[in-house]
Amino acid sequence: MEERSARVSEFWGDEKANVRKHNWLEHPVARAFINFRVSGDFEVGVAEHWRRTYLASPAPLALSVGCGFGGFERDALRMGLAERFEAVDISSKAIEKAKAYAAEAGLSGRISYAAVDLEKATLAEDHYDAIFGISSIHHVKDLEGLFRQCRRALKPGGLMFLEEYVGPSRFQSGPNAVQLINEIANLIPERYMQSIFLDGQPRKMYQNPPLSWFDENDPSEAVRSEEIIPELSREFDIVEYRPYGGAILHMLLSGTAGNFDPANDADVALVRVLALLEVWLEKSGSLGSDFAAVVARPK
């Protein structure tokens, strides 16, 4: 466990800014479609939807689990989701950078950070008015323990908010999804498939990542992601579940999203059509949604 934690901490100590901009979740057109699926408005993001629907008054004290470099907490404070944050992450490097960014933003007095391994976390009972997990829970192996801790840590009336990858564990997409990703990649112009992971060369074929990659690089990645919602439901009642896709776009645009120019009408239309295709495949039962925004109340 100690070796695993050390590898995970080191892996997530780098910000990987160049990689992020080629991720579908960072693409403004895909993000607008996600907004629409969650809030019904292309301009209203997930956090703003939560504020309008559940946090008319800022939560006095919120916890952010797996906070990384602290971008969510800084934005959440500016938006009025909370008055103060406590935030934890396994990577001490990420925590130090989050502290520095908070200081630069003049928010140090409203956010306290600590390096904590969520696999071993003990949270204070009846302590938080809200708990947020943003793209972090899919890195946790002991889901049962974490959700149990979160349930007891929330004050009466408190809510847990997740924006998460809840798709196949270890990114092992089903054969239909893999085949469709490859068929789409072969249909669209090659320039869209030029990948930063292949030094700008087009990706000819997508395959699920080998399980050995996770052991060698990041043992925490999507370790039990497909079990997040079932395990959450043991400790919490699901108040709102908003799936927002990714069964195709997540891997189709991994390393390639930056090729789709948000200022080019044809590129914008293509991303929107692919996002709409996911919606209809989900409705038909052909594919599931790999990502979701979730609000839950302790049982």
Side-chain angles (χ1 to χ4, degrees), residues 196-229:
I196 62 166
F197 300 127
L198 298 173
D199 297 322
Q201 295 301 307
R203 188 178 66 206
K204 299 295 185 182
M205 183 177 70
Y206 172 74
Q207 295 177 315
N208 287 330
L211 296 179
S212 59
W213 182 93
F214 300 91
D215 294 331
E216 296 165 5
N217 294 275
D218 180 11
S220 77
E221 185 62 84
V223 60
R224 292 178 64 195
S225 50
E226 65 192 38
E227 300 175 64
I228 289 174
I229 300 304

Side-chain angles (χ1 to χ4, degrees), residues 65-117:
V65 292
C67 64
F69 302 98
F72 172 76
E73 300 85 67
R74 297 192 298 274
D75 288 343
L77 288 175
R78 297 185 187 107
M79 293 171 61
L81 271 73
E83 295 176 1
R84 292 188 302 119
F85 263 99
E86 292 180 6
V88 298
D89 194 273
I90 192 173
S91 173
S92 56
K93 288 184 179 179
I95 287 295
E96 290 308 309
K97 291 180 181 179
K99 289 179 179 178
Y101 293 146
E104 289 175 9
L107 295 171
S108 293
R110 299 177 65 190
I111 314 174
S112 63
Y113 287 103
V116 173
D117 185 349

